[in-house]
């Protein structure tokens, strides 16, 4: 059963209290943490309710589901355009569709994907081009089942990317003019104990800081997408700028659908 609008409002209030408390402990402002509503496996009506409650950013795992819900432009309560984040791994043959529907892809983990996205974005909007925000997923929890860059190879990957980007300034590069490298994403350790994820969140922040400090192609590399329903407080304490929350807002997912 999906939540009613009133139920969702209550869940949102409880979640906002958690976020506020974590921000207070971390000495951060609420505005420094973006809430991405993870609507995967929930119907379009749930998205409508979320928009009525002020949601501006949604996360979807699967490209086809993202297309179904977010191909048509929508307006948020604050008048901005609703943004779609693709947060799940994207197969090579789905990258084009992902690039067209998404405002931001969080799960990039190969040079091939970066090169393909540049081509697709250059040709988007009938050749007018589109600038896409991308984040690189790091398997900082070092779990076999999780996708993303190997934690020991992530730094070398980003250094290689910097070389391939060519001349760059202000986050724009010669060779990837339609992509903006915005930061890093990870999924914490799925142990049921939020504290277990602290180390991998802190690792991600260190890596982000190192590349942000380089400027050039990494001048806009200020984002850290980390923290979900179970571990968002620890993620905020470790510097998350985007928490991806599904269950705490929409309830349990029905995977049989
Ligand atoms: C499903 C999913 C989430 C949301 O997880 P919850 O525990 O329901 O908050 C966040 N990030 C990714 C990558 C996901 O696949």
């Amino acid at each position: 059963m999906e939540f009613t609008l009133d139920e969702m409002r209550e869940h949102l209030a409880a979640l906002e209290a958690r976020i506020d408390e974590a921000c207070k402990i971390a000495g951060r402002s609420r505005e420094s943490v973006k809430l991405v509503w993870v609507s995967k496996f929930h119907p379009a009506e749930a998205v409508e309710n979320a928009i009525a409650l002020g949601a501006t950013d949604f996360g979807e795992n699967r490209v086809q589901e993202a297309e179904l819900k977010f191909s048509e432009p929508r307006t948020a309560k604050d008048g901005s355009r609703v943004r779609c984040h693709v947060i799940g791994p994207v197969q090579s043959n789905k990258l084009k569709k992902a690039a067209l529907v998404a405002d931001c892809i969080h799960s990039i983990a190969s040079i091939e994907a970066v090169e393909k996205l540049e081509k697709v974005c250059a040709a988007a909007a009938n050749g007018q081009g589109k600038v896409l925000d991308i984040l690189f997923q790091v398997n900082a929890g070092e779990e076999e089942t999780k996708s993303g860059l190997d934690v020991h190879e992530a730094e070398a990957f980003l250094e290689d990317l910097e070389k391939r980007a060519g001349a760059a300034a202000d986050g724009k590069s010669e060779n990837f003019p339609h992509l903006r490298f915005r930061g890093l994403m990870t999924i914490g350790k799925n142990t049921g104990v939020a504290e277990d994820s602290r180390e991998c969140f802190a690792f991600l922040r260190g890596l982000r800081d190192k590349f942000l400090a380089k400027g050039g192609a990494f001048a806009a590399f200020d984002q850290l997408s980390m923290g979900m329903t179970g571990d968002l407080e620890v993620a905020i304490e470790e510097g998350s700028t985007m928490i991806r929350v599904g269950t705490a807002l929409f309830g349990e997912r029905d995977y049989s659908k």
Side-chain angles (χ1 to χ4, degrees), residues 67-84:
E67 283 182 318
L68 279 172
K69 294 180 211 165
F70 300 102
S71 283
E72 289 291 315
R74 284 188 147 95
T75 305
K77 225 175 151 187
D78 67 4
S80 67
R81 196 175 49 80
V82 164
R83 287 175 292 274
C84 173

Side-chain angles (χ1 to χ4, degrees), residues 188-245:
K189 291 201 185 236
N190 196 10
T191 57
V193 180
E195 209 47 53
D196 291 348
S197 296
R198 188 178 296 278
E199 204 179 310
C200 70
F201 291 159
F203 170 82
L204 215 67
R205 180 181 53 185
L207 191 59
R208 190 272 319 258
D209 288 348
K210 190 166 182 172
F211 280 83
L212 178 60
K214 287 173 182 270
F218 292 97
F221 204 68
D222 57 357
Q223 298 294 309
L224 283 174
S225 168
M226 52 193 203
M228 315 186 350
T229 292
D231 56 15
L232 62 95
E233 286 91 346
V234 175
I236 290 170
E237 284 170 38
E238 295 303 330
S240 173
T241 62
M242 286 194 259
I243 52 173
R244 309 177 307 268
V245 182

Side-chain angles (χ1 to χ4, degrees), residues 38 40 61 87 187 228-229 244-247 253:
V38 177
K40 67 184 187 202
N61 260 44
I87 61 175
I187 298 173
M228 315 186 350
T229 292
R244 309 177 307 268
V245 182
T247 309
R253 289 176 285 274

